[in-house]
DNA sequence: ACATGGATTCGCT
DNA sequence: GCGAATCCATGTT
């Protein structure tokens, strides 16, 4: 097992997003370790991509996307859920990969406890399915904004050498994005039950 | 200062 | 399938 290095993220999101499928996301808390296999990602590709938060240029909220690859872009959406992204490409190029779903591997009881603490979300078998629940289960919040995932000891990605069969689909929840809403920039592991709808 | 709306999820119809 | 919950960045008074 090796941790993904900065080099992995220093390329276009459209290449890094499908490559992250089958990798293991590991979250180390003071109460224990939670891990899961990445089964669903989406690519957000720069200012031209109308679904990307960088579509209106650099702002206080999205500035980390303009920074170095491998840093975490996490933000609150709809007042109650966090979304977890990893910045890709190079500095000044605002691209990122959204992690949408994990297949639980380790620390499942701890993850369910985190969800329960979060309150609004049920801790059922789909507890890492969907970006909001995923962040709640992993106890991720704004304090991880701009964390370097390639050097942090609290969260990292491991390469287990798996090459899953990949499917592409349209992205979710971006109906406003005009022609970009139909781009096949969502990547999933084929036939995996933990992929969200 | 205030109004607006979003890369979501749940629960009810 | 639709509305509510609910925060904060952003754009407009």
């Amino acid at each position: 097992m090796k941790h993904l290095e900065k080099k992995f993220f220093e390329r276009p999101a459209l290449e890094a997003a499908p490559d992250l499928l089958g990798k293991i996301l590991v979250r180390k808390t003071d109460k224990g370790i939670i891990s899961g296999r990445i089964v669903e990602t989406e690519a957000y590709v720069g200012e031209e991509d109308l679904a990307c938060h960088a579509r209106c240029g650099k702002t206080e909220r999205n500035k980390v996307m303009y920074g170095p690859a491998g840093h975490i872009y996490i933000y609150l959406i709809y007042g109650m859920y966090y979304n977890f992204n990893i910045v890709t490409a190079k500095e000044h190029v605002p691209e990122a990969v959204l992690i949408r779903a994990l297949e639980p591997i380790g620390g499942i009881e701890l993850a369910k406890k985190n969800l329960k603490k979060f309150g609004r979300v049920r801790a059922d078998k789909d507890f890492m399915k969907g970006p909001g629940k995923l962040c709640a289960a992993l106890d991720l919040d704004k304090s991880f904004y701009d964390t370097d995932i390639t050097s942090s000891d609290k969260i990292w990605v491991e390469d287990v050498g798996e090459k899953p069969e990949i499917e592409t689909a349209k992205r979710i929840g971006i109906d406003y994005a005009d022609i970009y809403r139909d781009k096949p920039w969502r990547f999933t592991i084929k036939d995996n039950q933990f992929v969200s709808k």
Side-chain angles (χ1 to χ4, degrees), chain A residues 48-167:
Chain A
E48 288 180 17
D49 179 2
L50 294 176
C52 183
H53 284 167
R55 62 184 176 275
C56 297
K58 188 175 180 177
T59 64
E60 194 58 31
R61 167 151 146 253
N62 66 30
K63 65 181 179 187
V64 65
M65 278 199 282
Y66 290 80
H71 284 219
I72 292 172
Y73 174 40
I74 189 165
Y75 66 96
L76 193 61
I77 189 65
Y78 301 127
M80 55 191 79
Y81 296 107
Y82 287 102
N83 276 10
F84 173 72
N85 304 250
I86 304 173
V87 175
T88 71
K90 50 194 172 187
E91 286 191 55
H92 311 299
V93 179
E95 299 195 7
V97 177
L98 169 68
I99 310 297
R100 286 191 61 89
L102 297 183
E103 175 182 332
I105 294 178
I108 292 174
E109 290 311 309
L110 178 57
K112 287 188 175 177
K113 206 180 295 179
N114 286 336
L115 271 177
K116 205 170 178 182
K117 185 176 63 181
F118 194 71
R120 308 178 189 87
V121 188
R122 282 213 328 257
D124 56 18
K125 70 181 172 61
D126 296 330
F127 65 96
M128 287 188 186
K129 189 160 138 177
K133 287 194 286 190
L134 185 155
C135 290
L138 296 186
D139 198 23
L140 296 170
D141 60 31
K142 267 182 74 175
S143 66
F144 285 87
Y145 189 85
D146 205 26
T147 297
D148 184 352
I149 203 170
T150 64
S151 66
S152 172
D153 60 354
K154 293 189 171 60
I155 184 165
W156 63 87
V157 184
E158 288 181 1
D159 185 357
V160 291
E162 187 183 332
K163 297 279 183 239
E165 200 172 345
I166 293 170
E167 271 187 326

Side-chain angles (χ1 to χ4, degrees), chain A residues 20 22 35 46-47 57 65 81 88 138 150 168 170 183:
Chain A
L20 278 168
S35 60
E47 295 178 357
M65 278 199 282
Y81 296 107
T88 71
L138 296 186
T150 64
T168 61
K170 288 187 269 191
K183 297 285 183 188

